Amino acid sequence: MRLLESPGLLGRLPTTKTMLAYLSQNAFWGLLISAVEVYKRECFGLLIGYRDRKGPDQRYIIEHAVPYQSAGRRHRTVTNNPRAHRRIERFLRSIPQMSVIGDFHSHTMWGYSRAASSLSDTDLEGMKAENVYLILSVNDRLREVPWSYNDDGSLSGTTDDHHFRLTAYTVTAAREPRRLAILCPYALGFNARPLRAIL
């Protein structure tokens, strides 16, 4: 995983230790499409991948973001279907390379109130120390903004009619939230225009 240690990318990312959430291209698209599909209501889904721990370093490699089709959605809340969750976890046990390493949900704009990327008390209640949690704050796009890393470790940018901010969290054993830096090389090249061939 030399990519995660690239000084060019990590040099711009604020990290408290080396606490990092790496998003694959598949996971990036899964997150955005899930949020856009139900925009103005919250999306919810599972993060599938693996944990990579070396000493004090803690990395979550997120390969897939799988939305819950059976989630109960409202503007400010989303609930999973416990029976469906058990079926999915049982199914994933047969795939030894990857497992559920957390979940994601969105916070959406409502009227003129812009969506926040911070954790609510309800968000904190269900968090486990060994997992990663992603919040997608989704707002109407006011102007085009290229995808970039932010000083707080989040990743943001625009696509189509939406402005997204992806923020990753975990909690300590003492239930204190910790923000993780997000690394998604694919997102930074998302707005790049292909070079024209010179004939």
Side-chain angles (χ1 to χ4, degrees):
M1 279 285 172
R2 301 304 304 162
L3 175 65
L4 296 179
E5 309 204 3
S6 166
L9 291 170
L10 288 181
R12 293 181 291 165
L13 288 172
T15 55
T16 41
K17 285 185 238 172
T18 306
M19 293 179 65
L20 187 70
Y22 172 85
L23 286 178
S24 72
Q25 177 181 343
N26 285 342
F28 176 75
W29 279 115
L31 291 164
L32 270 54
I33 291 169
S34 296
V36 167
E37 178 191 9
V38 297
Y39 184 53
K40 299 295 183 179
R41 294 185 180 196
E42 290 193 6
C43 69
F44 177 77
L46 298 176
L47 299 173
I48 297 174
Y50 55 95
R51 295 168 188 87
D52 180 22
R53 291 193 179 124
K54 292 179 183 164
D57 296 349
Q58 188 170 328
R59 296 175 181 156
Y60 295 90
I61 313 303
I62 303 166
E63 297 285 357
H64 305 281
V66 180
Y68 262 98
Q69 297 179 61
S70 59
R73 295 178 175 83
R74 293 198 167 85
H75 166 60
R76 291 189 178 257
T77 59
V78 64
T79 54
N80 70 349
N81 177 324
R83 246 190 304 171
H85 185 75
R86 284 192 298 276
R87 278 196 305 269
I88 291 168
E89 286 201 325
R90 197 167 49 244
F91 173 77
L92 288 172
R93 279 189 221 116
S94 65
I95 306 172
Q97 301 90 337
M98 289 189 275
S99 60
V100 175
I101 59 172
D103 63 46
F104 69 90
H105 72 279
S106 60
H107 292 171
T108 65
M109 183 173 186
W110 190 256
Y112 294 108
S113 299
R114 297 193 59 79
S117 58
S118 55
L119 293 168
S120 68
D121 291 340
T122 306
D123 294 338
L124 277 167
E125 283 173 18
M127 292 173 69
K128 297 178 185 173
E130 68 274 8
N131 286 348
V132 62
Y133 299 89
L134 275 177
I135 293 180
L136 292 87
S137 51
V138 190
N139 292 289
D140 293 341
R141 186 184 93 170
L142 300 177
R143 60 187 169 81
E144 187 172 345
V145 178
W147 283 89
S148 64
Y149 299 117
N150 302 303
D151 290 341
D152 63 359
S154 64
L155 172 69
S156 63
T158 56
T159 62
D160 193 35
D161 295 332
H162 305 92
H163 180 275
F164 296 91
R165 179 180 291 263
L166 284 66
T167 311
Y169 294 93
T170 190
V171 290
T172 65
R175 313 285 308 145
E176 296 172 358
R178 293 284 183 263
R179 195 172 283 193
L180 284 74
I182 293 178
L183 178 62
C184 184
Y186 174 79
L188 296 189
F190 178 75
N191 292 334
R193 301 283 183 247
L195 296 173
R196 286 192 209 172
I198 299 172
L199 302 174

